[in-house]
Amino acid sequence: MPADVRALGALRSQIVDGSIPPGSRLTEVQLSEGMGLSRATVRTALHQLGKEGLVSLVPYTGWTVVELTHQDVWELYTLRGAIERLAAQFAATSADMESMLRIEGAFERLKDTVGEDSEKIAEADFGFHKSIVDASSHSRLKQQYKLIEQQIRVFIRSSNLLIEDPAEIIAQHEPIWNAIRQRNADFAGTLAEQHNITEGQKLTGSLPSA
């Protein structure tokens, strides 16, 4: 695996799972020494993370891990809700049996994570939503989702940490899966969008006042 790909994967994982906390300052020198890689390699990885919305380059300061603001959360849950509403509708309408089995498998994996650590639950949660988007058979929709994919993973992890009982996460997603497998497109879309709105508003309420 090329060095820049390894650097990107390692940094992305640590930001998404919270090992590198929001607001952390990242320096090319520190990262290159810690990872045993050149500064140029680390710089390339940081620029890609910037495109993914996980870090930002602050003039005269350097790279900083993005902290979710009220505006960030609102933009993410409204945009994600609109995309996932369409994806759920398209999946319910036209997904073939293979795609349906993938969604079902993703939901079963989510159920199996109950009792596991929060990172595994968050990744399975994201995997379920991603499986619906993949089943939409809409290439441009999938391209737009990919642009905010890593930010969605941070969003899911942050919102799930507000839920005390992991079983509630299953209860949130089961109606969406049921509506899709029953080919109830309008209801599936409504549930997918409302799920995003509800969780987004909870996450917004948990943030410090601006």
Side-chain angles (χ1 to χ4, degrees), residues 83-94:
I83 293 174
E84 290 190 6
R85 179 189 182 101
L86 286 173
Q89 289 175 329
F90 293 147
T93 301
S94 58

Side-chain angles (χ1 to χ4, degrees), residues 95-114:
D96 58 21
M97 185 55 66
E98 185 177 350
S99 296
M100 283 291 194
L101 288 174
R102 288 198 189 100
I103 299 173
E104 182 178 26
F107 178 66
E108 291 301 320
R109 283 190 291 277
L110 178 58
K111 287 169 62 177
D112 290 342
T113 61
V114 173

Side-chain angles (χ1 to χ4, degrees), residues 26-158:
L26 305 174
T27 67
E28 293 175 7
V29 173
Q30 183 182 36
L31 291 174
S32 63
E33 291 178 352
M35 303 176 79
L37 298 170
S38 70
R39 288 182 62 181
T41 297
V42 169
R43 187 180 306 122
T44 299
L46 288 170
H47 277 286
Q48 178 57 37
L49 291 171
K51 292 179 182 178
E52 295 176 1
L54 295 181
V55 301
S56 61
L57 182 57
V58 182
Y60 310 110
T61 299
W63 295 96
T64 302
V65 178
V66 169
E67 295 183 89
L68 289 177
T69 65
H70 288 79
Q71 181 69 17
D72 292 328
V73 173
W74 177 78
E75 289 184 6
L76 275 172
Y77 79 72
T78 52
L79 178 57
R80 180 188 168 204
I83 293 174
E84 290 190 6
R85 179 189 182 101
L86 286 173
Q89 289 175 329
F90 293 147
T93 301
S94 58
D96 58 21
M97 185 55 66
E98 185 177 350
S99 296
M100 283 291 194
L101 288 174
R102 288 198 189 100
I103 299 173
E104 182 178 26
F107 178 66
E108 291 301 320
R109 283 190 291 277
L110 178 58
K111 287 169 62 177
D112 290 342
T113 61
V114 173
E116 300 279 354
D117 64 72
S118 60
E119 302 309 324
K120 289 182 179 179
I121 295 174
E123 281 305 297
D125 188 332
F126 171 73
F128 173 71
H129 290 282
K130 183 69 161 51
S131 71
I132 296 172
V133 172
D134 289 341
S136 69
S137 300
H138 194 302
S139 61
R140 287 176 174 79
L141 183 148
K142 288 189 279 187
Q143 288 171 1
Q144 294 305 309
Y145 197 77
K146 188 172 181 61
L147 292 175
I148 57 171
E149 199 170 274
Q150 302 308 323
Q151 295 174 67
I152 289 172
R153 292 173 68 199
V154 172
F155 179 103
I156 288 174
R157 175 185 171 276
S158 300

